[in-house]
């Protein structure tokens, strides 16, 4: 038996995100899961990955820029993964949000998409924009 667990009231992605620990591995072919720091295994490609917090945050913001057609989240027209990665190249993680704000030009839409794309690390964790100091 694989001892699977049914997630009631939330997505399985969020369930995996909440259960990720130092001694666990997320086994998934879903690239979205790579925003969650920790160990990952893609069982189709037979690839192991270790994702740091900064790498996970970068992957999250790339997805915010590109959107996710499978989840019906529309990103910025004309921005794919390569262009999104280039927009974030050389930046510190704390600067990713501001780049997204500049590209979106619509905080409400940016915030809605980010909340939809965020994978929980704690129960019912909602993504919030970082505090910006001016």
């Amino acid at each position: 038996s694989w001892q699977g667990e049914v997630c009631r009231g939330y997505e399985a992605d969020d369930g995996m995100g909440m259960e990720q620990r130092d001694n666990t591995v997320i086994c998934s072919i879903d690239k979205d899961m790579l925003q969650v720091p920790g160990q990952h295994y893609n069982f189709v490609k037979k690839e192991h990955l270790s994702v740091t917090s900064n790498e996970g945050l970068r992957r999250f913001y790339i997805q915010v820029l590109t959107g996710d057609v499978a989840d019906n989240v529309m990103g910025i027209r004309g921005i794919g993964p390569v262009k999104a990665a280039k927009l974030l190249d050389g930046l510190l993680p704390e600067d990713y949000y501001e780049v997204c704000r500049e590209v979106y030009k619509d905080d409400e839409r940016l915030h809605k998409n980010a909340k939809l794309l965020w994978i929980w690390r704690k129960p019912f964790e909602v993504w919030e924009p970082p505090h910006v100091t001016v």
Side-chain angles (χ1 to χ4, degrees), residues 51-122:
V51 177
T52 67
S53 293
N54 286 347
E55 290 167 342
L57 192 62
R58 178 180 166 83
R59 289 174 191 270
F60 166 71
Y61 279 110
I62 287 172
Q63 190 174 25
V64 168
L65 290 166
T66 61
D68 190 328
V69 176
D71 288 334
N72 202 28
V73 178
M74 299 302 127
I76 301 299
R77 184 184 307 273
I79 295 186
V82 172
K83 193 168 188 179
K86 284 184 181 178
L87 285 168
L88 302 181
D89 278 351
L91 299 178
L92 296 171
E94 52 267 25
D95 298 327
Y96 298 160
Y97 171 71
E98 283 303 321
V99 168
C100 289
R101 287 188 76 205
E102 289 170 20
V103 174
Y104 264 83
K105 297 178 178 37
D106 179 349
D107 283 355
E108 186 176 340
R109 184 166 164 255
L110 164 61
H111 295 173
K112 179 181 175 185
N113 283 356
K115 287 176 183 186
L116 289 169
L117 294 168
W118 182 255
I119 295 175
W120 297 351
R121 311 314 191 268
K122 296 179 261 187

Side-chain angles (χ1 to χ4, degrees), residues 16-75:
M16 288 189 289
M18 289 187 289
E19 293 298 322
Q20 180 74 310
R21 305 278 185 275
D22 290 341
N23 64 344
T24 61
V25 178
I26 291 178
C27 297
S28 176
I29 60 172
D30 187 347
K31 64 174 177 35
D32 303 351
M33 295 306 302
L34 296 175
Q35 70 172 263
V36 179
Q39 298 301 310
H40 293 263
Y41 180 67
N42 181 318
F43 49 86
V44 171
K45 295 180 180 179
K46 296 185 177 14
E47 289 179 342
H48 288 269
L49 279 173
S50 182
V51 177
T52 67
S53 293
N54 286 347
E55 290 167 342
L57 192 62
R58 178 180 166 83
R59 289 174 191 270
F60 166 71
Y61 279 110
I62 287 172
Q63 190 174 25
V64 168
L65 290 166
T66 61
D68 190 328
V69 176
D71 288 334
N72 202 28
V73 178
M74 299 302 127

